[in-house]
Amino acid sequence: MHDTPPSVPDFTQWPSFPFEGDLRVKHLEDPVPVEPPRKGEGHRECTACNAPDDAYIWVGERWRVRAMDRPTGLPMVLILESRSHLDLGDLPNLLAAELGVMTVRLERAIRSLDGVARVHVNRWGDGSAHLHMWFLARPYGRLQLRGTFLSLWDSILPPISEAQWRENLALVAAWLAEFGGRPLAEPPRIQWQAPSSFSAQSSAQAAAAEEEPVSVIEADEEIPVPADEDDDTRNVPDTGSTETDPEDDAESEDADAAEEADGEPGGDTGDEADDASSIEDAGNEERAPVPDGGSTR
């Protein structure tokens, strides 16, 4: 007896569904006995833990906010991450309470942007074990984008201009900085020099448009790692030649001699004191009361 293919769900007829035409349901694969580890689990490295602060638009003591690497179809797509390597269900009470405050605060900041009607907040977590919450801005007046398919439309719509994107990032970072932390996103610089020709400007714009933006659905954090992928093959040390130029060695020795003559020590003796102070501050911070959610401007 042949299996009867399931019928297409009714939501494919909704105005918000981004596709039309003949559709069919994919074959459902059999469940696996053991799921493969996500990024940040087992032997797989965590992308968020290895990312420096300058990869984010705003950073605080316990939270960081970052954007996609280039503009996408929606006015704003941001990711809220915890500094600690924890998943949602692993958060202690202090971070769990702060997650609520940060969620409301970031939603207000994004909703304050021109042309934003709603902010969708999503959490999937099948690709990475490090907590990350998605914030997607729906454009005002685009009623067809309402509902659960907004992340799909982000891949379909043409990307917004980079100037507008960078301005939006700077505004959100400044809003968050009003409650603490450090804003890292800067507004776009003014182009004081006119292009040498309109054709040169058009060519640059065309080249930028050809770059395929990475949307929410295609983000590395949400792509599950195949079970048969071995990260160890990407961590093989380089066995190439380690020979150095004798002239470089001579210059290095001269530099070391000059440094010793100046009396500069090899290490910074103040780092240990700074580290001890940071640990003490972190301990005091964990005993601090839950911050107030702030008010809208």
Side-chain angles (χ1 to χ4, degrees), residues 29 35 59 94 107 110 138 170 189 217 230 232 254 288 290:
E29 298 178 354
E35 292 193 1
V59 294
L94 173 63
E107 191 274 345
I110 298 174
R138 178 177 69 80
R189 297 179 179 178
I217 297 300
D230 188 0
D232 292 339
D254 294 341
V290 177

Side-chain angles (χ1 to χ4, degrees), residues 4 56 67 88 101 104 143 146 152 159 163 188 199 203 238 240 244 249 257 259 263-264 272 277 281 287:
T4 303
Y56 294 75
L88 181 60
V101 175
V104 174
L143 301 184
R146 293 180 300 179
L152 297 178
S199 59
S203 300
D238 185 9
T244 58
D249 293 338
E259 183 177 352
E264 295 181 357
E272 294 180 3
S277 177
D281 293 342
R287 295 190 294 271

Side-chain angles (χ1 to χ4, degrees), residues 134-150:
W134 289 88
F135 292 74
L136 286 65
R138 178 177 69 80
Y140 187 87
R142 294 285 188 178
L143 301 184
Q144 193 175 354
L145 274 59
R146 293 180 300 179
T148 55
F149 303 117
L150 184 62

Side-chain angles (χ1 to χ4, degrees), residues 69-244:
D69 58 351
R70 61 177 65 98
T72 57
L74 299 180
M76 183 55 58
V77 175
L78 293 176
I79 304 173
L80 172 65
E81 294 178 350
S82 60
R83 276 195 180 272
S84 304
H85 185 75
L86 299 168
D87 207 345
L88 181 60
D90 303 326
L91 294 179
N93 290 339
L94 173 63
L95 291 182
E98 284 188 345
L99 176 60
V101 175
M102 288 299 303
T103 299
V104 174
R105 188 173 295 167
L106 186 52
E107 191 274 345
R108 288 173 178 170
I110 298 174
R111 188 159 41 89
S112 70
L113 300 174
D114 291 338
V116 173
R118 297 284 184 274
V119 180
H120 294 200
V121 181
N122 300 274
R123 182 257 178 180
W124 292 284
D126 283 332
S128 174
H130 197 117
L131 174 63
H132 55 286
M133 306 283 292
W134 289 88
F135 292 74
L136 286 65
R138 178 177 69 80
Y140 187 87
R142 294 285 188 178
L143 301 184
Q144 193 175 354
L145 274 59
R146 293 180 300 179
T148 55
F149 303 117
L150 184 62
S151 59
L152 297 178
W153 281 106
D154 184 47
S155 303
I156 299 170
L157 296 173
I160 66 174
S161 68
E162 183 167 355
Q164 183 63 55
W165 177 65
R166 292 191 179 277
E167 182 178 350
N168 289 345
L169 293 178
L171 290 173
V172 171
W175 178 293
L176 295 177
E178 290 291 328
F179 303 93
R182 183 161 52 99
L184 299 176
E186 298 181 354
R189 297 179 179 178
I190 299 176
Q191 300 295 332
W192 295 106
Q193 290 184 338
S196 57
S197 64
F198 288 105
S199 59
Q201 184 180 20
S202 301
S203 300
Q205 293 175 350
E210 289 178 358
E211 294 185 4
E212 188 70 22
V214 178
S215 62
V216 178
I217 297 300
E218 302 163 317
D220 186 62
E221 292 81 4
E222 302 306 335
I223 300 178
V225 181
D228 56 352
E229 182 177 332
D230 188 0
D231 284 356
D232 292 339
T233 59
R234 296 195 296 270
N235 298 325
V236 177
D238 185 9
T239 57
S241 174
T242 58
E243 296 181 359
T244 58

